Amino acid sequence: MSEPTSPSRAHGASCGQPDHAIHRRRFLTGLAGAGAVSVGSWAGLFSVPAFAAAARRRGKHCILLWLCGAPSQFETWDPKPGRISGGPFRSIPTAIPGVHFGELMPRTAGIADRLAVVRCMKTSQSEHLQGIDLLNRGAAPRPPFVRPTLGAVLAQQLGHLDSAIPNFVLLDPCPEGNEFKEFKSGNWAGWLGAEYGPVRVGGEYRLDHAARLADLSTDDQEARNALRRFFNRRYANERRPAAAASQNAVFERVKGLMSCAHLFDLESLPEADRERYGPGAFGMHALQARHLVEHGAPFVMVANGMPWDSHVFHNEIYQMLVPELDRVIVHLITDLEVRGLLDDTLVVLMGEFGRTPWINQARGRDHYPNAWSLAMAGCGMRRGVVVGATDADGVEVEGPAFDEKNLFATIFTALGLDPYAPYDLPELPSFHRVEDRAEPIRDLLA
């Protein structure tokens, strides 16, 4: 088959090359984690009624399995057996009559009747940093304003600030990840403020020393906290209220973490569960995500660096990555269902775009945003549905295509949130959770 022009090639860019940085939006750079607040952030802008509304929606959760680096649709959700674009792997039938997945996903194929698959995603960014930003925020950048990520919005809407367990947990043991590393160092909460940023755990990111000192009584600890709150209030009255509010939020978060640090101890989970999900970090953190959701966490994002970026030896790499994903999907979906949590927990499996229908000279697949796939399951989703299609070689979407705005409208609708609600940003431009009233993917919604 003739080789279409790759967006990556059109831009003359590939992973790890200096070209990648040429068009990056440096406005993202900032502090991450519990203490993060950017120049473009405004903490404390949301009103008491907003918190009341969030409280009414308590009980909904979202787990995002973030497949960073952009997984190939051909070896997973949209195989093309017998075509050059399909590669060496076969397709296999699934629990949905007439629907096939890649042969590296036999377990997931067996529970396809619990999944909702989209085979017609088409987005605009073919570089990692921009793609990660787009698929985490649901809209293109509009500097100097920093739109909150999906995790921050759901933390605000589904959680509540006085919760001991963090409203946004990022489980990612890998400090590296090329462009994902740069994104992770940026501002996740945007204009919502630092209190809605992620608590990052995994690998070297641990909740060490979270326990109260043995020689410090509960009364003494509370007395110290009261003294801290007194000085913080005085500081807030005399200096910058927004910064003080964020600082107070961080202290309250730490206080909450001290009471729930045990939930982050993987060793405390049953050995049989760890064997089912493990031994890889991605599987173990998916198990931890299930555990956190069981205990009330509204949003948990599981990532593991940027392993899906397969510019070289694609087939060899995917023979390791996809079977692990296959195992993790089945255990996570099944466990949530057995525990009665699946109807209230939306599970999203996606990366920032797909991979090319052709193999490059290094036996890899490059970036491809023109036609790619993702999957969801659980809260608000129909079961056993595949939406959209691509042509015979997976080069173009056939029929309607969906982008990040349609996806975010779908996620918010599935979780019972108004996708078009405006953000309360006095004297600033109007922003909405989903811009331009983009439609959700109706065929996915229950």
Side-chain angles (χ1 to χ4, degrees), residues 245-275:
S246 293
Q247 186 181 39
N248 282 334
V250 170
F251 273 105
E252 291 305 315
R253 177 176 293 171
V254 172
K255 181 182 175 183
L257 286 172
M258 292 177 70
S259 66
C260 69
H262 62 286
L263 297 178
F264 293 86
D265 180 10
L266 273 171
E267 296 298 321
S268 68
L269 296 177
E271 184 176 353
D273 283 354
R274 285 182 276 139
E275 289 179 352

Side-chain angles (χ1 to χ4, degrees), residues 282-311:
F282 183 73
M284 297 301 286
H285 287 132
L287 169 62
Q288 192 167 49
R290 186 209 75 188
H291 187 58
L292 291 169
V293 162
E294 283 183 284
H295 288 82
F299 183 84
V300 184
M301 179 174 178
V302 180
N304 189 19
M306 215 166 122
W308 295 90
D309 193 25
S310 53
H311 289 285

Side-chain angles (χ1 to χ4, degrees), residues 81-224:
R83 309 293 294 191
I84 295 177
S85 61
F89 302 110
R90 297 176 299 129
S91 69
I92 54 174
T94 70
I96 308 173
V99 173
H100 285 61
F101 291 166
E103 68 169 321
L104 299 176
M105 303 182 72
R107 300 184 185 188
T108 303
I111 64 160
D113 54 352
R114 292 175 236 177
L115 303 177
V117 176
V118 183
R119 285 176 167 170
C120 54
M121 290 298 295
K122 183 174 184 177
T123 46
S124 58
Q125 296 294 346
S126 61
E127 298 301 330
H128 288 297
L129 182 59
Q130 293 90 335
I132 293 167
D133 190 68
L134 189 68
L135 269 296
N136 271 278
R137 301 187 194 275
R142 186 178 165 185
F145 311 104
V146 182
R147 177 178 290 274
T149 61
L150 176 68
V153 176
L154 295 185
Q156 190 229 18
Q157 289 297 310
L158 303 181
H160 42 110
L161 289 178
D162 58 352
S163 171
I165 194 167
N167 292 317
F168 181 177
V169 179
L170 169 61
L171 299 174
D172 181 5
C174 184
E176 300 301 326
N178 297 333
E179 288 86 345
F180 190 35
K181 178 181 180 181
E182 184 170 352
F183 180 82
K184 285 185 285 193
S185 70
N187 181 355
W188 291 71
W191 53 62
L192 293 185
E195 52 267 54
Y196 299 107
V199 169
R200 185 176 178 185
V201 183
E204 66 183 58
Y205 302 94
R206 300 174 182 275
L207 297 180
D208 292 333
H209 313 301
R212 176 169 52 80
L213 296 175
D215 59 351
L216 181 65
S217 70
T218 303
D219 289 343
D220 286 344
Q221 184 184 31
E222 186 50 41
R224 292 184 181 188

Side-chain angles (χ1 to χ4, degrees), residues 72-81 86 100-102 117-120 371-373 388-391 393-394 396:
S72 168
Q73 61 278 17
F74 297 103
E75 287 77 22
T76 53
W77 311 112
D78 192 14
K80 301 293 181 184
H100 285 61
F101 291 166
V117 176
V118 183
R119 285 176 167 170
C120 54
W372 56 283
S373 304
T390 53
D391 61 23
D393 288 309
E396 299 290 345

